[in-house]
Amino acid sequence: SLLEEQVHQDLDSFGYDMTYLRRFMGQSAIMREGPSVLQLGGSDPGQLEQACETLLQLSQRGYCDYTAVNLNCGCPSPKVAGKGCFGAALMEEPELVKDIVTGMHNGCDGNIPITVKCRIGTDKDFTFTKTGYEEIDDEQEYSNLCRFIETVASSGVVTDFQVHARIAVLSKSFSPADNRKVPKLKYDFVRKLVEDYPEFTFSLNGGVNTVVDAKAELERCDNMAGIMIGRAWAANPWSFAMADEILYPESAKTSIENVYGSEGRPKNRLEVLKAYGKHADFEESLWDPLRIRRFITKAATPLFAGEPNGKKYRIALDEVGGLPKKLMKQGETMDGYPSISEQIMNAALETLSEDVLLRSPLESYERSYAGNVATESSSSSEVIRDWQQDRKMQQEESSIDSGVAS
């Protein structure tokens, strides 16, 4: 099989089987993904240097082509920043972060830019309460943030930072969700970084849920490098289909051509599914559907978020994702069943209207923002909540599937 051939090539080239690395870090072999960043987490400079060495090997073999590698200094999860002693906990150890990014740079032979995602600080020097935090000296808090930025940048490696404009509360039993909502957003801190350190680039993260919100924040700070959006994009990716035209109208045409080439960007979501289907078929030709099917369908699940019959589409797609496991329990195989691309397409065609399937990015944007922007932001929050609930269920099912597969 093609997978066996690649495994033998890996053994000959590197001396070890890179199957799992390619499965979790590899990018599409049949469609260009465009600019993308790989985020790593950890607190051991040696391990992260080795991780970047491996990434470089993957890149040289053509399995991936990441634009940059990012160090996670912002995750407040107890498993990460607590027991793991990395993520947001690294904000309290800027000298260690300096050593880590230097190791990452060396691991990549200086060929891939290293960036840092962080918060504006932690609650290391005080006991967090909502009212008590209001009394914290902003100047001292900003000074601590500056010290972190300056120390990390003194490595000569990092000049690009993505800053979540909240502190990370690590001394309390806060969940990641609490840390995304409870601490106050301080966008002014990030804007001030842009003014005070023109030699670096900064992107704002936290609380920005729509392309209109992003545009407003960029207009408030001319030299802000960008806006980082996570859950809102993952929950409803199609709502950002016009991001290039809305945020960067002067360079949008060139950017789109660079990513999509002469074929151009998909004109609607039906075309998106057709393109994704080619990728899905190739991935299932490499990997056992029992192991990978859920991951493939999961990526296509939020494409019709907020649309009429969107839930029916998600249910139909969930059945496609669960088919290999269902057949295995019945002692049957996938022989005779349509390809995964055909099953995904059928799930959409059987549940969604022609209007939804063929609506262009511009038509979708105009429909979403024809009314009040505040209403759209509220709708976006509801979509994010629905996505988070679906994601939790999928993670539980994937965990069960992994147990069966092993």
Side-chain angles (χ1 to χ4, degrees), residues 22 34 115 159 218 229 245 253 264 272 296 316 334 336 344 365 374:
R22 288 192 288 104
T115 67
T159 60
L218 289 173
I229 300 175
E245 290 90 340
K253 183 177 180 181
V272 171
I296 294 176
M334 297 287 293
I344 290 174
Y365 174 80

Side-chain angles (χ1 to χ4, degrees), residues 267-332:
K267 298 179 178 62
N268 51 59
R269 280 172 283 191
L270 190 63
E271 290 192 6
V272 171
L273 286 180
K274 287 179 180 178
Y276 186 67
K278 296 177 182 178
H279 166 75
D281 285 341
F282 180 80
E283 290 300 307
E284 282 215 342
S285 73
L286 282 178
W287 313 104
D288 180 1
L290 188 64
R291 290 182 177 274
I292 202 169
R293 173 67 69 92
R294 284 282 187 195
F295 294 103
I296 294 176
T297 55
K298 177 182 176 182
T301 298
L303 188 58
F304 299 95
E307 296 286 6
N309 291 328
K311 187 172 183 179
K312 289 184 178 179
Y313 163 75
R314 294 198 299 273
I315 292 172
L317 204 59
D318 184 65
E319 292 176 356
V320 173
L323 182 61
K325 178 184 173 183
K326 179 181 177 181
L327 293 175
M328 185 202 69
K329 287 184 174 180
Q330 296 174 349
E332 301 178 27

Side-chain angles (χ1 to χ4, degrees), residues 24 155 282 347:
F24 293 110
S155 64
F282 180 80

Side-chain angles (χ1 to χ4, degrees), residues 16 19 39 44 65 84 105 124 138 152 176 188 199 210 224 229 265 277 298 308 337 371 394:
Y16 57 91
T19 300
Q39 186 178 73
D44 186 315
D65 183 23
H105 175 77
K124 177 183 178 182
D138 277 358
V152 175
D188 55 311
E199 67 273 32
T210 69
M224 185 77 73
I229 300 175
R265 183 176 60 186
K298 177 182 176 182
Y337 280 85
Q394 288 172 347

Side-chain angles (χ1 to χ4, degrees), residues 317-383:
L317 204 59
D318 184 65
E319 292 176 356
V320 173
L323 182 61
K325 178 184 173 183
K326 179 181 177 181
L327 293 175
M328 185 202 69
K329 287 184 174 180
Q330 296 174 349
E332 301 178 27
T333 68
M334 297 287 293
D335 294 343
Y337 280 85
S339 65
I340 183 174
S341 61
E342 187 175 343
Q343 292 181 55
I344 290 174
M345 188 63 71
N346 288 339
L349 292 172
E350 292 169 5
T351 57
L352 300 163
S353 69
E354 183 176 304
D355 171 61
V356 170
L357 290 167
L358 300 181
R359 193 183 305 146
S360 71
L362 178 59
E363 291 168 339
S364 297
Y365 174 80
E366 290 175 339
R367 178 174 296 205
S368 294
Y369 295 99
N372 189 295
V373 172
T375 301
E376 174 58 28
S377 295
S378 175
S379 174
S380 176
S381 297
E382 292 176 6
V383 168

Side-chain angles (χ1 to χ4, degrees), residues 183-203:
K184 179 183 177 182
L185 280 164
K186 295 187 176 181
Y187 290 162
D188 55 311
F189 275 31
V190 187
R191 296 182 193 125
K192 194 165 181 359
L193 287 174
V194 173
E195 295 174 2
D196 292 345
Y197 299 96
E199 67 273 32
F200 305 142
T201 53
F202 297 93
S203 297

